[in-house]
Amino acid sequence: MKLLAFAASSSSKSINKQLAIYAASLVEGAEVEILDINDYEMPIFSQDREELLGQPELAQQFFSKLGEADGIIISFAEHNGSYTAAYKNLFDWTSRIDMKVFQNKPMVLLATSPGPGGAASVLAAASGSAPYFAADVKGSLSIPSFFDNFDMEQQTLRNPELKASLIAALAGLQ
């Protein structure tokens, strides 16, 4: 199984990237590719820019990466209760190539934050809208209080209930 994992964050210190990498490591037998959305930075989407630029090569490359995967894990950072600007822009450009952005791939959607909310607002938005963009959402999970529940040294969830929930969500990918 070719598994694609990434954080919907442009932060070089992204806890969501750590979570996505960790989650991907739990999928037995998977060949994992970790993406960094910073590699797909484009001008802010607008119809005017689309008319001028067409479909940028980076958006096409991102769409191809999604299409080549057998499964996808995305961990969403939350900025002011919603998607990060970097992810939303990449998504908007990619959706202009094909509204079926996720190409019917099985997906697990995650989110975390330093606080007790666990980025649950953005996760709810992502989980609710993903099927409209041809995502086969197999599971989703919010990890609250990341630094309390994740062992940074061992790179593992230390909370056994959350770890069991994550493993159960990931089971849908196999």
Side-chain angles (χ1 to χ4, degrees), residues 50-128:
E50 183 181 31
E51 287 174 15
L52 180 67
L53 301 173
Q55 297 171 338
E57 179 64 29
L58 290 174
Q60 293 176 39
Q61 289 174 16
F62 182 71
F63 184 74
S64 292
K65 286 286 185 187
L66 295 173
E68 293 164 5
D70 297 315
I72 301 168
I73 296 172
I74 305 174
S75 189
F76 292 90
E78 185 173 279
H79 288 187
N80 299 316
S82 191
Y83 301 104
T84 65
Y87 174 76
K88 183 67 167 80
N89 191 55
L90 176 57
F91 180 84
D92 287 345
W93 276 112
T94 305
S95 73
R96 300 302 281 192
I97 294 168
D98 188 333
M99 286 297 291
K100 295 179 180 177
V101 173
F102 300 116
Q103 304 167 59
N104 298 307
K105 302 297 178 174
M107 299 177 68
V108 171
L109 307 180
L110 306 171
T112 192
S113 71
S121 294
V122 72
L123 183 60
S127 297

Side-chain angles (χ1 to χ4, degrees), residues 18 22 146-159:
Q18 290 178 41
Y22 171 67
F146 182 77
F147 296 104
D148 292 339
N149 288 306
F150 194 82
D151 184 324
M152 298 295 286
E153 192 173 300
Q154 299 294 318
Q155 291 293 298
T156 186
L157 276 173
R158 69 178 94 193
N159 179 309

Side-chain angles (χ1 to χ4, degrees), residues 6-74:
F6 64 94
S9 168
S10 59
S11 172
S12 64
K13 299 174 182 148
S14 172
I15 58 178
N16 280 281
K17 186 172 186 177
Q18 290 178 41
L19 180 58
I21 291 169
Y22 171 67
S25 77
L26 297 175
V27 180
E28 290 187 32
E31 173 190 328
V32 178
E33 180 177 1
I34 306 297
L35 288 186
D36 185 333
I37 67 169
N38 289 305
D39 295 337
Y40 301 91
E41 190 172 323
M42 292 172 277
I44 300 295
F45 176 81
S46 72
Q47 287 184 320
D48 293 339
R49 285 195 181 100
E50 183 181 31
E51 287 174 15
L52 180 67
L53 301 173
Q55 297 171 338
E57 179 64 29
L58 290 174
Q60 293 176 39
Q61 289 174 16
F62 182 71
F63 184 74
S64 292
K65 286 286 185 187
L66 295 173
E68 293 164 5
D70 297 315
I72 301 168
I73 296 172
I74 305 174

